[in-house]
Amino acid sequence: MFVCICYQVREHQVRTAIRCGARTEEAIGDACGAGTGCGSCLDRIEELIEEERTDTRLPSAA
């Protein structure tokens, strides 16, 4: 499923970026481009960050 239509970024790409250390919308944008176009996906990106943060396998943002 696409998270970012502007740059055709799929959910798994955003989750991978988060798991590799991206913990903010800006960091996600730097990693894969999502959220850097029209911005309509920023709410979904924030949801994915929170979902991954609650996964106990990931460290919290510093």
Side-chain angles (χ1 to χ4, degrees):
M1 172 187 220
F2 285 111
V3 172
C4 176
I5 300 301
C6 294
Y7 294 103
Q8 296 83 43
V9 180
R10 296 181 181 275
E11 183 174 319
H12 74 87
Q13 293 170 282
V14 174
R15 288 186 185 273
T16 297
I18 296 166
R19 291 172 186 162
C20 289
R23 298 289 186 271
T24 65
E25 294 167 345
E26 293 81 13
I28 297 295
D30 291 343
C32 63
T36 61
C38 74
S40 66
C41 61
L42 292 174
D43 287 341
R44 181 62 183 140
I45 291 170
E46 187 59 39
E47 290 173 2
L48 292 171
I49 292 169
E50 185 59 33
E51 285 176 19
E52 292 295 322
R53 185 180 338 213
T54 60
D55 186 337
T56 58
R57 295 175 293 175
L58 293 177
S60 297

